[in-house]
Every structure is written in C-alpha cells, then in structure tokens.
Amino acid sequence: MGTAEQMNQSFRRIQPFVEIMDCTLRDGEQTSGVSFLPHEKLMIARMLLKDVNVDRIEVASARVSEGEKDAVKMICRYAQRIGMLEKVEVLGFVDGKLSVDWISDCGGKVINLLSKGSLKHCRGQLHKTPEEHIDDIRKSLDYAARKGMTVNLYLEDWSSGMKNSPEYVYQLLDALKDSGIRRFMLPDTLGILNPLQAIEYFRKMMKRYPDMHFDFHAHNDYDLAVSNSLAAVLSGAKGLHVTVNGLGERCGNAPLSSVQVILKDQFHAKTSIHEDRLNDISRLVEGYSGIAVAPNQPIIGDNVFTQVAGVHADGDSKNNLYCNELVPERFGRKREYALGKTSGKANIARNLEELGLELTPEQTQKVTKRITELGDRKEIVTQEDLPFIVSDVLKHSAPEEKVKLVSYMVTSAYGLKPIACVKVDINGQQFETQSSGDGQYDAFVKALRKIYKQNLNRTFPILANYAVTIPPGGRTDALVQTVITWQNGERIFKTRGLDADQTEAAIKATFKMLNIIEGEV
C-alpha cells in the first residue's frame, strides 16, 4: 500500500483537480428539524453557484412534494438563465419513467439515479435479484437518454457492499460501465468506514475500473467523514460530496469548509471553491436551517479566529508565532483577541490599540485586573465595553452619551402584536414614535429604525446575532446578559447589556451600539 508520506508525495506531484458537489439542499435537508422554503433553497443555490463557485449542487429528491417541485423549478430557471443548468442535479429513483419525468417537468437536465450498492439492500429492500435490479436500472437509463438527460449513478450502501458483497458491486459495475453513466457515486451511507478501509476499497475500484469517474459521499457517524473524504481522493476519487456546516442525516455529512481547506493546505489539490465566501454561505444556511454552528467548528465557528490566552496575543505581536495557514483574512474574517480572565496584558493592549486608546503599563495593569474580576464572575466583556471599563477604573469621566433613552413603553396582549412607544434624545434633539413587532424588543427596534430612517435619513445597523445567557442556578431574580452582534456596513461588532429583565438588557446593549456609531459619524 505504501507509507502515508509516499502517498502524500505522489499526490502532491499529481496535483489533481477535485470536483466538489454540495448536497445541502438534498441530503442536508434530511437533518432532523430542517426544511427549507422554496425561496430559501433558491437563495442558497444562488450563493453556492455564483459566490462559493461549487462545481455542482444536488437540490432535491424527485417526487417528494409540490413544494419541492416549486423549489427545483425556481432553481432550474435561475441556473439556465446564468448558463449553469448542467450543474444542478436531482436525486431520482429506479422507478421507470416517474423520476425522469418529474425532473424533466422541473426543467432539470441531470438525474442522480439511486441504485443499490450492496446485495443486502438489493434483496432486503427491493426483494429482487441483482439481474432484475440491473435490468430495471437499464430501463431508467434508456428513458433518461431519450429525454436528453445526463445520468450519474449512486451505489447506495456501497461501503457495506464492499465489506460484505464485493462480487455484487463488481457485477453491477461490469454490467453498467458502458451504459453512458457519467459518474459513479460511492456513498458510505451508514458512515461505517475508516480511512484505511476507504483507501483499500477505492484502490480496488480504481484498479478494476481505471477510466471511470468516481465520487465519494461520506457520512460522519464516527466523526471520520472528512478523513474518509481525503482518503478517497488520495486513492483516486475525482469528486467529493459535501454539505454546508456538515448538515445531514444522523451525524451529518462532510462539511464543505473543512474538506476545502484540507484539500488545499494538506494535499495541494485544486478546487473551484472561493474560500472568502465560505463564512457567508455558512451564515446563510445557519439562519435558514435554524441549526447553530458550534463556536469551535473549524473555519466557520465564531471562536476559531479568537485568541483568548494572553500568551498567544503576545506571540502574535512577535512575528505571528501562534498563526498557521488558516489566517482569517483568507475567509473574509479577522483575528480577534477575547477579553476575559485569561486575557493578560497582551490581549488587552491589542484591543486598546484597535480602539485608539493609549494607556501606560500601570493603567493597562489596572484594566487587566478589572477584566479578570469580571471573567471570574462569568461576565462577557466585549471590545466595545473597554472605554467604559477604562473610564471606571481610571476614574475618568464616562464617554459622553450622544444617544439617550428618554422613555419607552412596550405592551403585549394575547392575540395581538406587541407595540412599543419610544422617545429618544439624539445629539440634544428629541424624537418620539411607535411601532409594532413580533416581540417586545422587535417592536422597540422597529420604532428606533423608523426614527433613524424618517427623521434622520440614516440607516440603522443590522442585528446579526442575539445571545442571551443567565448565571447558573435558575433563580428567577438572576441577571440576564444579552450580547448582540451588529453589522454596520462592513463593520461587525458586539455590545452587551446586563439587567434582571431580558428586554431591558437588550435595550441597554442597543443604546451602547447607537452611541458607538454616533461617535463615529
């Protein structure tokens, strides 16, 4: 088999191109609790094709529902308009004409035909002999050809087939290798493979069928989807299937972002992916799916480019000692230095520098001590809190509030939308209005937006994220900490509010934000 280093060196010399097919809109939607609306599917498809630049997208399963059909029609119309219809694929079944006609009616031109890749599935699920199944596949292939459709063939449960019935797998491919199928797609349907098995099975396939195009479709049941995907590519796979944020059944599929960076950095493989849009597509899918990305998820997690330990910030200031190839700017992000009990003077100095605040070493030490005390109480400190902490610790006058809340009232009644009446003072001028919303805070923010738009002719920052935490113990009188992430043009920043009432905490965080941007006008 050769050593791993020999394989790696050989792979680097070849520098292959690896096709990336994203199946977020098909396999990813099989995540428990996830169901995309047709327009959401279109938005995701547009970003994957135009911005992220994946080679192909699998957007649905045939014959699922009328809503699914509407989504596929919308995506196909869009893809045809931009000359990318051949990149849109739909899963179809060996059901005679039904799946082919369904996809054709949607405007699709590529069917990913689902066949059985193990003898157990062929006999146990279809109750057919291999010969009967092959005959049914040929009928679907013939009809698809008459309809002018490109066919890729899934061998469902292929990994089990190679483990338990390889002669069946070979029988299937021997019968279909000259039938016009463009790609043979080999799934680890139950997520049972390890990288050594993936290498072994792919090498057997490549030795027997050297001229075929094989894709690999990994599942993450043993947390090996990315490793198995890389093993497949090392052994000859020409394409990989991924999902945004690793969505998928059970433990999910191989994440697009992780697969991309390992292919590029570890093996110098070539792909079409635009890495600077990986974070954007992750956020879009996170919002539509309702499945939050773990903060420590590589490449796309909130914390992965945040240094917490002071020694790391110190090392970064000394010739980037704690940096690797995964620099945040590569992905449209930037490195941050968290403020907490382990921050140390180097982290705080970095944040002060970004804010343009200059302190003596003694003053920095006092501020560091205060932030450490807050961290011990599990309070989150954001960069935007620093000027207030500095003023408090050094007994300076607090930064002037240019935006002040004069008064407000929010009402909530069963069966009616909440209403907020708000009076604010902005640079000495008072404004008053009211608005309704989907919640008390939503109504409050909509009233503020109205003031900024109608009275000041200014845009109001976008609320990008909203996180609420309470101290452990579950006491009803516990303080609520609300951290809101804002986007103002290209700038993204966070503000914090602390109060016994959740709405009041959010309002405090909002007015911190307004004073920050007012100071920049």
Side-chain angles (χ1 to χ4, degrees), residues 290-309:
I291 304 295
V293 173
N296 61 339
Q297 177 77 18
I299 313 305
I300 53 176
D302 278 348
N303 296 347
V304 296
F305 298 117
T306 301
Q307 302 279 36
V308 177

Side-chain angles (χ1 to χ4, degrees), residues 135-169:
D135 188 54
D136 289 340
I137 294 170
R138 282 190 172 130
K139 290 176 182 175
S140 291
L141 292 173
D142 290 342
Y143 187 63
R146 293 203 299 273
K147 298 284 281 189
M149 199 169 286
T150 299
V151 180
N152 302 315
L153 188 73
Y154 270 115
L155 274 66
E156 186 183 18
D157 201 37
W158 166 81
S159 50
S160 294
M162 291 300 290
K163 267 190 172 184
N164 305 317
S165 54
E167 68 288 340
Y168 166 81
V169 177

Side-chain angles (χ1 to χ4, degrees), residues 50-66:
K50 290 285 286 181
D51 300 326
V52 184
N53 201 41
V54 298
D55 298 287
R56 300 143 55 202
I57 56 174
E58 190 175 51
V59 299
S61 296
R63 302 170 52 206
V64 168
S65 67
E66 285 304 309

Side-chain angles (χ1 to χ4, degrees), residues 87-254:
K87 294 186 174 187
V88 177
E89 303 174 8
V90 181
L91 180 77
F93 306 97
V94 182
D95 53 13
K97 300 179 179 181
L98 296 177
S99 288
V100 174
D101 284 342
W102 192 94
I103 297 168
S104 182
D105 288 346
C106 294
K109 292 295 183 182
V110 183
I111 180 172
N112 293 339
L113 196 61
L114 187 69
S115 69
K116 300 302 178 185
S118 69
L119 186 60
K120 182 179 180 181
H121 271 219
C122 181
R123 286 179 173 167
Q125 191 169 35
L126 299 181
H127 306 293
K128 293 191 175 185
T129 65
E131 293 75 16
E132 289 172 328
H133 186 38
I134 289 168
D135 188 54
D136 289 340
I137 294 170
R138 282 190 172 130
K139 290 176 182 175
S140 291
L141 292 173
D142 290 342
Y143 187 63
R146 293 203 299 273
K147 298 284 281 189
M149 199 169 286
T150 299
V151 180
N152 302 315
L153 188 73
Y154 270 115
L155 274 66
E156 186 183 18
D157 201 37
W158 166 81
S159 50
S160 294
M162 291 300 290
K163 267 190 172 184
N164 305 317
S165 54
E167 68 288 340
Y168 166 81
V169 177
Y170 300 146
Q171 180 183 357
L172 197 68
L173 267 71
D174 287 344
L176 299 172
K177 63 182 180 180
D178 298 318
S179 58
I181 294 170
R182 185 168 181 180
R183 301 176 184 89
F184 289 84
M185 308 197 295
L186 310 179
D188 182 16
T189 303
L190 301 178
I192 60 173
L193 291 182
N194 64 51
L196 293 178
Q197 291 168 322
I199 289 171
E200 177 189 351
Y201 298 155
F202 256 90
R203 286 191 163 187
K204 288 179 178 178
M205 298 292 285
M206 292 303 301
K207 183 177 181 180
R208 189 175 178 111
Y209 309 103
D211 298 324
M212 283 189 181
H213 178 118
F214 291 120
D215 281 4
F216 181 60
H217 180 106
H219 280 263
N220 204 37
D221 296 69
Y222 283 95
D223 204 18
L224 290 170
V226 175
S227 299
N228 289 336
S229 295
L230 270 294
V233 169
L234 280 170
S235 304
K238 291 184 172 63
L240 292 177
H241 297 187
V242 298
T243 59
V244 177
N245 300 341
L247 292 181
E249 282 192 294
R250 304 184 309 277
C251 302
N253 295 29

